[in-house]
Amino acid sequence: MSDSTTSFSPALQETPSLTARVARGAAWIFGAGLIARALGAVNTIGVARLLAPDAIGVVATATIMMQLLQGISDIGVSQAVVRFRDAGRKDLDTLFTLSALRGLVIGAALLASAPLAAQFYDDPRLFWTFAGVAAFPAMMGLVNPRFYEFERELKFSREFIATILNRLAGVAVSLTVAIIFRTYWAIICGLIAGGFVQLVLSYALRPHLPRFSFKSFSKVFGFSGWLAGVSFMAALNNKLDVPILTRLAGGGGAGVYFMGLHLSELAAGQIAGPVTRALYPGLSEMQGEPDRMRAAFLRGVEALGAFAMPAAFGLAFVARDFTAVVLGEKWAEAAPAIALLAPVIGLQSLFFATQAYAVALGLTRLVFFRELIFFLVRMPVFIWAAMAHGLQGAVAAAAGMGLFHVALNFALFARAGGGAFWAPLWSARRPIGAVALMALWFLALRPIVLPLEGLAPVWRLGLDSLSGAGLYVAALFALWRAEGAPDGVETRALAAIAVTAKRLSRN
């Protein structure tokens, strides 16, 4: 493992411009994600306080089904544009044509299934939610494929603009409708408003008039075929839970599960998303240089471990008070779900970039088989647990199968990169150690050293958040110093702090 980690520094020295562009790209994505998720959190919390769990549950069923259909038919337009560094007019027109047809088919399928959904779930609201969300995929299928050239060029500032504006539009419309009408249509209207803004901006920021064409079909399908299979299996793994629970546990149980899972993913996803998105085009530039690519990936794992993993674990430790303060007492059942799911997602966050790594290597076939194995094992377990133990069983099954997915990612990394399967854990050894000390604090020491049970939830949440974050940072840097202060994420964090302090001092 020492060979893998130490080989990264020369790789960085050979391509300082690439490293800087990846870092800037991650910063833009992180900034956009931070603002977008903050707006999303405001929207989620506002709608959750204005609407009942069962209303959110029926909309979640329709949107999850929409996302399932999108996932199982995803041809990876953005990933294809990034990987095909010489993509021309024929390639882009073919991608646009396939995307537009896909969107129309999904919209039509949702419209056709609306009466069946209402009958199956014995809830007439499902007809209108399915019909309402059908407009979104049809609209998004028309997005300008040239917009994704910004990602290939690591110019994420334009995506920052598009992300913020479409999220602002969605939140404004959703909350306005929720406040005035107190109806589940608030969520649907917000979804469509955000999608419309995204569509318009894709052409405004990168002017282009696409044509309908299949002239580059063989080239596009050669890359997108396995990727479509990956998307199909990933959608089955990620999007079937809520529809199944709606049937087995009712709209209320599905709403609680959806909210618990959504909030559990929020903390880690806010950090892991930017790192993964910026890594993919950077890794794609290293095609043909597997050693450098593996070293860059492991450095990304270290960053994910340092920031995404502790955020997820920290949320789990304060889940009860977080739920009470942010969502209100009617969502109390979501707290145990967050407490169980968030740590698993924290461990999974170490491997969020594994798929991008394999795709950059052109090994989408391995990613497909990972998702296929996961589905064949996970889905029977989840259905049995939900039938036998309801909401609690479903949450436990999702957590247990999440750990199984971690094991599959170990195997994927070892097969794709040719390194030791435990190399990612070694890269993140200091963050893992610091998270373990934070867990010791919350689970064993804090109730004795700093009892807070007599305080209001908002005060407990604040004090626990501060103490947990402070302990984690202190433990991380203590472990770093104990290793002799090697070149790592701590080094770059200190350098970034020094640069920021210097700039502030000038002002």
Side-chain angles (χ1 to χ4, degrees):
M1 175 57 214
S2 58
D3 293 340
S4 298
T5 54
T6 56
S7 65
F8 185 71
S9 295
L12 279 179
Q13 292 167 6
E14 291 168 11
T15 57
S17 61
L18 176 60
T19 303
R21 286 188 293 133
V22 170
R24 283 195 299 270
W28 276 112
I29 300 170
F30 180 79
L34 186 66
I35 297 172
R37 287 184 181 273
L39 291 171
V42 170
N43 186 59
T44 299
I45 294 166
V47 170
R49 286 188 170 275
L50 292 168
L51 303 181
D54 70 318
I56 294 177
V58 295
V59 179
T61 301
T63 55
I64 290 294
M65 189 57 66
M66 175 196 70
Q67 292 167 357
L68 173 63
L69 292 174
Q70 287 179 312
I72 64 178
S73 60
D74 188 7
I75 59 172
V77 174
S78 64
Q79 292 168 298
V81 173
V82 171
R83 181 161 174 81
F84 297 151
R85 312 198 73 78
D86 60 344
R89 176 85 195 192
K90 294 179 180 179
D91 302 322
L92 295 173
D93 286 346
T94 301
L95 287 167
F96 172 79
T97 303
L98 293 173
S99 177
L101 291 175
R102 167 178 168 263
L104 288 174
V105 169
I106 293 173
L110 287 168
L111 279 174
S113 61
L116 300 176
Q119 182 179 4
F120 181 75
Y121 291 110
D122 194 24
D123 190 332
R125 293 175 299 177
L126 266 299
F127 175 88
W128 298 109
T129 56
F130 270 68
V133 301
F136 183 79
M139 182 168 53
M140 296 308 292
L142 301 175
V143 166
N144 178 10
R146 284 203 66 198
F147 181 76
Y148 302 114
E149 291 178 345
F150 290 129
E151 181 177 349
R152 184 178 68 198
E153 299 162 2
L154 289 166
K155 296 178 180 178
F156 288 102
S157 58
R158 278 72 165 185
E159 182 174 323
F160 178 92
I161 296 171
T163 299
I164 299 308
L165 292 180
N166 83 63
R167 187 58 62 92
L168 277 171
V171 172
V173 170
S174 182
L175 287 180
T176 300
V177 175
I179 291 171
I180 296 175
F181 298 104
R182 303 295 177 98
T183 173
Y184 56 82
W185 277 102
I187 304 173
I188 299 172
C189 291
L191 177 72
I192 295 174
F196 178 75
V197 171
Q198 177 69 32
L199 174 63
V200 171
L201 288 175
S202 73
Y203 289 94
L205 295 174
R206 194 79 162 189
H208 174 65
L209 184 61
R211 304 167 184 165
F212 288 96
S213 170
F214 289 100
K215 291 182 178 179
S216 188
F217 179 79
S218 60
K219 178 182 177 181
V220 168
F221 191 76
F223 171 76
S224 298
W226 282 110
L227 197 59
V230 170
S231 300
F232 178 85
M233 298 310 308
L236 294 180
N237 285 322
N238 297 329
K239 304 303 180 184
L240 287 179
D241 293 2
V242 170
I244 290 171
L245 271 182
T246 302
R247 176 68 174 180
L248 298 177
V256 168
Y257 178 86
F258 174 79
M259 189 64 68
L261 181 61
H262 175 69
L263 293 175
S264 297
E265 294 173 338
L266 195 64
Q270 172 60 48
I271 299 166
V275 175
T276 302
R277 285 284 313 283
L279 266 177
Y280 174 59
L283 292 172
S284 294
E285 287 195 19
M286 299 179 187
Q287 294 176 31
E289 301 177 86
D291 291 339
R292 292 181 58 224
M293 193 182 293
R294 181 172 60 251
F297 167 75
L298 290 174
R299 188 57 61 93
V301 170
E302 182 188 12
L304 290 170
F307 299 106
M309 183 173 59
F313 274 85
L315 177 63
F317 296 137
V318 299
R320 180 171 62 107
D321 291 328
F322 177 85
T323 304
V325 171
V326 174
L327 299 180
E329 292 300 330
K330 65 181 179 182
W331 288 96
E333 285 186 281
I338 295 173
L340 191 58
L341 292 172
V344 175
I345 292 171
L347 291 174
Q348 289 179 308
S349 69
L350 292 173
F351 298 93
F352 278 0
T354 309
Q355 180 167 320
Y357 176 51
V359 171
L361 285 167
L363 300 174
T364 50
R365 178 175 60 88
L366 294 181
V367 183
F368 170 78
F369 284 113
R370 178 199 66 177
E371 292 301 307
L372 176 61
I373 293 170
F374 186 53
F375 175 77
L376 293 176
V377 175
R378 181 187 187 276
M379 194 50 58
V381 173
F382 183 85
I383 294 174
W384 170 82
M387 292 179 64
H389 304 286
L391 174 61
Q392 291 76 18
V395 171
M401 290 298 98
L403 295 176
F404 177 60
H405 198 259
V406 170
L408 291 176
N409 276 313
F410 277 121
L412 176 61
F413 165 76
R415 183 71 181 273
F421 75 91
W422 41 262
L425 286 182
W426 181 254
S427 294
R429 62 192 179 279
R430 292 190 298 274
I432 291 173
V435 165
L437 290 173
M438 182 172 65
L440 178 65
W441 165 254
F442 278 109
L443 299 179
L445 299 179
R446 205 278 284 160
I448 300 172
V449 178
L450 189 65
L452 302 175
E453 292 306 315
L455 298 180
V458 64
W459 288 108
R460 280 201 308 267
L461 178 61
L463 291 173
D464 276 338
S465 299
L466 288 174
S467 66
L471 177 63
Y472 170 78
V473 172
L476 180 66
F477 278 93
L479 293 170
W480 175 65
R481 293 294 300 176
E483 288 191 15
D487 180 36
V489 68
E490 301 89 350
T491 309
R492 289 180 291 283
L494 290 176
I497 293 171
V499 170
T500 303
K502 187 176 181 180
R503 289 176 179 174
L504 291 176
S505 65
R506 291 176 181 174
N507 298 330

